[in-house]
Amino acid sequence: MTLDLEGVLVPEIWIAVAEKTGIPELRLTTRDIPDYDVLMRGRLKILAQHNLGIKDIQEVIGTLSPLPGGKEFLDELRAITQVIILSDTFEEFAQPLMKQLGWPTLLCHRLEITEGKVTNYKLRISDQKKEAVNALRAMNYFVISAGDSFNDTAMLGAANVGFLFRAPKAIQQQFPQFEAAEEYKELLQKIREQLNR
């Protein structure tokens, strides 16, 4: 099982930073801008313009908690199958949230930080969510994936079965091949049905 992180288990980190700093442009996510590089270059430019550093972002992240029911859903899911979280977040952001979720396996990217400022980002590999699923499938794993955004659709398509979770209607309409779920209980039921086939 592979899961997206933000919007599925925890709040969108950049939206929280936007609210805390009062910078509305930081609210944009892959739901709004599907091209991740365009999105991240825009974020880095905004951080530089407003003189925001890694500590400012980490301070906001430290105030976040998993989405209501997210940890319980993950705990129940981990009791019935192996779970890998595939995220476009960064190691430098994720640690406080991973601690609250009971340290699940997370594969994500890294930031480049110079004198406390975020200067660049390093992708592990291009299209890492899809490539991770492809690698698992190459090892003969049956992979179920769930995510909420444009940047999850390649992962969902590479999986044996993909589900959209709390995805905006526009994404659901654009990708009707993926069943959609709105509640953890509903998603868990769909996953159980696939595992019991």
Side-chain angles (χ1 to χ4, degrees):
M1 177 84 215
T2 66
L3 284 178
D4 179 37
L5 178 65
E6 294 177 68
V8 174
L9 296 172
V10 303
E12 293 282 353
I13 289 169
W14 288 99
I15 290 176
V17 173
E19 289 172 359
K20 179 76 172 177
T21 59
I23 304 169
E25 298 87 351
L26 287 177
R27 289 187 61 84
L28 297 174
T29 71
T30 51
R31 290 177 171 195
D32 309 297
I33 302 175
D35 186 318
Y36 189 69
D37 188 59
V38 170
L39 180 64
M40 276 306 299
R41 296 278 161 224
R43 289 169 172 168
L44 292 175
K45 189 175 174 185
I46 292 165
L47 292 178
Q49 286 171 346
H50 292 270
N51 199 32
L52 293 171
I54 186 67
K55 287 198 184 315
D56 299 304
I57 299 168
Q58 288 174 332
E59 203 172 279
V60 175
I61 295 167
T63 68
L64 300 179
S65 298
L67 293 170
K71 181 179 186 321
E72 294 76 10
F73 163 75
L74 182 61
D75 288 345
E76 198 166 341
L77 187 57
R78 289 171 78 188
I80 60 173
T81 190
Q82 295 294 311
V83 179
I84 298 171
I85 298 173
L86 300 177
S87 177
D88 281 325
T89 193
F90 302 94
E91 290 177 353
E92 295 82 358
F93 289 0
Q95 198 164 358
L97 293 165
M98 292 302 99
K99 182 177 182 181
Q100 292 181 65
L101 289 170
W103 298 109
T105 300
L106 169 70
L107 304 180
C108 64
H109 306 299
R110 291 187 338 260
L111 292 171
E112 285 186 9
I113 299 167
T114 306
E115 296 177 4
K117 301 297 181 194
V118 181
T119 54
N120 205 351
Y121 70 98
K122 290 282 187 189
L123 297 182
R124 295 279 173 193
I125 185 174
S126 183
D127 224 351
Q128 64 106 0
K129 293 182 182 188
K130 179 178 119 181
E131 293 303 330
V133 169
N134 284 338
L136 290 167
R137 290 199 60 188
M139 295 165 54
N140 291 319
Y141 282 103
F142 180 83
V143 181
I144 303 168
S145 294
D148 72 320
S149 196
F150 282 113
N151 69 326
D152 297 316
T153 55
M155 168 180 79
L156 303 185
N160 295 89
V161 181
F163 296 112
L164 287 168
F165 182 68
R166 294 182 179 165
K169 292 294 177 213
I171 294 175
Q172 292 182 36
Q173 289 166 356
Q174 194 172 336
F175 297 94
Q177 66 269 41
F178 305 126
E179 268 191 76
E182 295 299 321
E183 300 301 327
Y184 290 118
K185 186 177 178 182
E186 180 188 6
L187 180 59
L188 193 60
Q189 181 59 36
K190 289 178 184 296
I191 293 166
R192 283 184 186 277
E193 286 169 5
Q194 291 298 324
L195 291 173
N196 292 331
R197 285 185 144 184

